[in-house]
Amino acid sequence: MRAVVYSQTGPSSVLQPVERDLPEPGPGEVRVRVVRSGVNPTDHKFRAGAMRGHDEVSPGMDGSGVVDAVGADVEHLAVGDRVWVYLAQHGPAYGTATEHTVQPADRVVHLPEQASYDLGAALGVPAITAHRALTSGEVNRLAPGTLDDHVVLVAGGAGAVGNAAIQLARWAGATVITTVSSEEKAVLARAAGAHHVVDYVHGDAQAEILGIAPDGVDLVVEVAPAPNQALDLAVTRVHGTIAVYANNGGEQLTLPLRETFSRNLRYQFIILYTLDPALLSLAVTDVSAAVLDGALRVGEDAGLPLHHYPLTDVAAAQDAVEAGLVGKALLDVADA
């Protein structure tokens, strides 16, 4: 099988195309013939500094494809099933930047016939992260109506997680406000379904947000906690939640304690790799329901432009993501 691997950490030049033997699934595992592989920021971050005890690593946390072999003790999947895969390279050496990947069966999820492989490969890290952020406040599940009467602020609504958060929050009934830095990104955020789009570069974001939600927003999905700290405190209501999933714009977050605790604010920090398996399972269940409802979409008309690369151009795809690509990078591993 074809794969792209690295045997030492470093820049994207360490990625090399290779041929490897076809792996076989063991008990509790399945093998997936990968059709699409999703590229996330975590891929280039891992490549730059983490081998995780492996001599050789193929990147790719997310992907979609078809089950083509099933190990013992797997009952919910069968050969020929269309699936999406998440956290594929968290533990296993070979993620989804390869023609075949062997994964624990609980990380392989049925992909409905009406859902494209592009969508399947774009779920994973972004959608599960968005779900955890949206359920870190007063609700613990997402479904139509669970966020009725909630106002959600999504920082960076044109990013992959921001896009998923907007779509999932809309599906669950929330009023969604999002912040963006340009008119190009505002167009994408509106396409994703945001009710209100605030340009934080050219306008007064605090005044605009409080004009929409005078009592403050219920929950913030935050990608840049350090630079947005003052804004988040100013616009989050008493007993509100600020859910932080990234450190864009600064490594240190300093909080004014009295102002923060006097409002009974909740901060929830999120990373999937140490997330309780029960929370991962809930997220996968709810995200799958949203996919069945047609509530999660990809493409320009859904606010998430797709950028396709051949498998051998993993380096170019990772470099583009690291440089701030707007939209979602996908590797075309096989014909759909």
Side-chain angles (χ1 to χ4, degrees), residues 56-107:
E56 179 179 87
V57 170
S58 177
M61 289 291 176
D62 299 335
S64 61
V66 179
V67 174
D68 71 349
V70 177
D73 304 321
V74 176
E75 298 181 353
H76 69 289
L77 293 164
V79 171
D81 286 350
R82 301 173 78 250
V83 294
W84 58 281
V85 179
Y86 67 96
L87 296 185
Q89 205 270 299
H90 180 53
Y94 288 82
T96 58
T98 176
E99 289 184 315
H100 296 267
T101 185
V102 170
Q103 293 295 320
D106 60 0
R107 295 188 191 171

Side-chain angles (χ1 to χ4, degrees), residues 204-225:
D204 185 338
Q206 178 178 329
E208 289 189 50
I209 293 167
L210 290 177
I212 299 162
D215 295 328
V217 303
D218 297 276
L219 186 143
V220 180
V221 180
E222 185 55 79
V223 65

Side-chain angles (χ1 to χ4, degrees), residues 161-231:
V161 175
N163 176 276
I166 292 170
Q167 294 194 64
L168 287 170
R170 279 293 306 261
W171 176 61
T175 297
V176 182
I177 307 169
T178 190
T179 56
V180 297
S181 59
S182 68
E183 181 53 32
E184 173 197 10
K185 292 181 177 180
V187 170
L188 296 176
R190 292 188 189 99
H195 295 94
H196 307 278
V197 180
V198 174
D199 185 333
Y200 67 87
V201 174
H202 302 101
D204 185 338
Q206 178 178 329
E208 289 189 50
I209 293 167
L210 290 177
I212 299 162
D215 295 328
V217 303
D218 297 276
L219 186 143
V220 180
V221 180
E222 185 55 79
V223 65
N228 290 344
Q229 175 258 339
L231 176 63

Side-chain angles (χ1 to χ4, degrees), residues 6-9 46 49-58 89-94:
Y6 58 93
S7 56
Q8 60 181 354
T9 59
F46 273 29
M51 295 293 295
R52 294 183 174 266
H54 299 297
D55 295 328
E56 179 179 87
V57 170
S58 177
Q89 205 270 299
H90 180 53
Y94 288 82

Side-chain angles (χ1 to χ4, degrees), residues 12-29:
S12 61
S13 58
V14 302
L15 292 160
Q16 299 296 325
V18 297
E19 290 284 340
R20 292 291 180 262
D21 293 337
L22 190 65
E24 295 296 333
E29 296 179 333

